[in-house]
Every structure is written in structure tokens, then in C-alpha cells.
Amino acid sequence: DTEVTQTPKHLVMGMTNKKSLKCEQHMGHRAMYWYKQKAKKPPELMFVYSYEKLSINESVPSRFSPECPNSSLLNLHLHALQPEDSALYLCASSPLLVSKNIQYFGAGTRLSVL
Amino acid sequence: AQKVTQAQTEISVVEKEDVTLDCVYETRDTTYYLFWYKQPPSGELVFLIRRNSFDEQNEISGRYSWNFQKSTSSFNFTITASQVVDSAVYFCALSAYLSINAGNMLTFGGGTRLMVKP
């Protein structure tokens, strides 16, 4: 099973709202990732968590706040977003072993900020 | 710095034609990994293949085949007898291994949109 589950699939929010994206995997992977993908562009890395600790933050604005409550769950908390933050948000997970470093992706959350 | 270039932004073929998607990469690392992912309209990135820098053996999986040439820094992907279901965006990616505790970072190419017409 190589499934990464993301909820919700679609989200529409206003600029003053607070919402959260959720990602779950049960493959025992100890690395989890958030990516942002704009239309007709490749995914861009936002955050990397390893062993439930933030290891990489690619200079993402503070209106995006990641959280990794346990080894299976990854959240992305959204607050005061801008219309330009509308995108597909992808979650991925991978083992930390170099020999098995394949990232498996979820289907994403399509976010629209009005 | 790492870079992945997919020069073909869009390719259109008729069903049953063979098609090759090009990928050229740049890295200063001696150990690295190359990947291909497929992204259908549903949005999910589907893993297709991983190749490490020490293994230049070509690989075939059904109608898919990959040609890794370190001398030209290329990792091309060929679909034989294409089908409508192959229509998707295909991404080539390069992985930099950071450390055992930091995971790995994927550098993606710009993607190639493949349209297979019946």
C-alpha cells in the first residue's frame, strides 16, 4: 500500500478565514513533505518534516503553518491567505533510508482563495 | 545547484505511436537519484521509476522504457504504442540527499504535457 490521503479535496476560503489541510499515511514513513503547485508549473517544496520535526522550510510565509502531530499525520494550517495562494497543495511521504527514498504523493487539495 | 530541464512542454501523438520524453539534468553531486512521475488530470503525482547515479542500466516496464546516459546527463522516457490513458503531465526529477535526518529534496523539471489522441 503506497497511499497518502489528503483532505479536503477542494477548499474555498476567504482571506480572513482560518482553515487546515490534512495529510495521512500509514506506510511507516518518517519523512513528510508539503508542496505547492500552481497551474502548468511543477510542484515547489514548502516544508519537510523528518521524525516529526521540521527540517526544511523553504522560506514560506508565516500565513502557512505546518504541524506534524505524529508520524502518520501532517497538517497545514492556513490563515489570512492571499488570492495568489490559490493552488494545488500536495503532500508526500518517504522513508528516510537513502536506498528507499521514493516520495509518494497524495491527490492534493485544490485551494481557492477569494 | 541542481537543475532539471524538460525542453518539450507539450507533445501530441496519435494512439499507437511511440513517444520519447526528454530530460536533462545538472548536478555537482556524485551520488544522486533521478525519478519520473506521471500527473493525470486528477492531480496525484504517480511514481514511475527511480534510478541512482551508479546504475546506468536501461529499464523496461511493459510499454515504458527509460534510457539513462550519464555522459550526456540525460534520463529519457519512452512510451511504446501510446494509449489515450497515457495522456498526462510527466515530470522528471532529481533528488539531492541531505542527511539521514533531513529527508531528500526533489528538484522537478518543468514537465511535459503528453496528449494522446484516439
Side-chain angles (χ1 to χ4, degrees), chain A residues 6-25:
Chain A
Q6 290 188 243
T7 54
K9 293 192 185 309
H10 301 274
L11 180 62
V12 179
M13 60 187 291
M15 289 189 285
T16 58
N17 293 158
K18 286 185 179 180
K19 297 286 184 183
S20 297
L21 310 184
K22 181 180 173 182
C23 174
E24 193 167 3
Q25 57 90 12

Side-chain angles (χ1 to χ4, degrees), chain B residues 25 30-34 49-59 66-70 74-75:
Chain B
Y25 63 92
T30 53
T31 302
Y32 53 89
Y33 292 84
L34 293 161
I49 190 172
R50 182 189 73 161
R51 181 55 91 226
N52 76 51
S53 53
F54 298 109
D55 181 3
E56 289 192 69
Q57 194 169 14
N58 291 331
E59 182 158 340
W66 291 269
N67 184 319
F68 176 30
Q69 292 199 342
K70 213 168 173 179
S74 65
F75 185 41

Side-chain angles (χ1 to χ4, degrees), chain A residues 6 33-47 58 60 87-92 103-108, chain B residues 4 6 35-40 43-46 89-94 105-112:
Chain A
Q6 290 188 243
Y33 310 79
W34 279 116
Y35 288 85
K36 174 182 178 180
Q37 187 179 22
K38 300 284 279 185
K40 298 190 176 183
K41 296 290 187 182
E44 295 177 358
L45 183 67
M46 300 174 72
F47 303 103
E58 290 288 276
V60 179
L88 178 67
Y89 288 84
L90 292 162
C91 173
Q103 290 187 29
Y104 294 96
F105 286 80
Chain B
V4 177
Q6 296 179 253
F35 301 79
W36 276 96
Y37 283 89
K38 174 182 180 180
Q39 188 173 39
E44 180 178 357
L45 277 160
V46 178
V89 180
Y90 291 85
F91 289 100
C92 180
L94 173 66
M105 292 179 64
L106 287 176
T107 299
F108 285 91
T112 297

Side-chain angles (χ1 to χ4, degrees), chain A residues 67-87:
Chain A
E67 178 196 22
C68 191
N70 60 57
S71 60
S72 300
L73 280 175
L74 185 66
N75 298 321
L76 186 63
H77 303 297
L78 314 173
H79 174 55
L81 294 193
Q82 303 297 309
E84 60 264 29
D85 296 322
S86 298

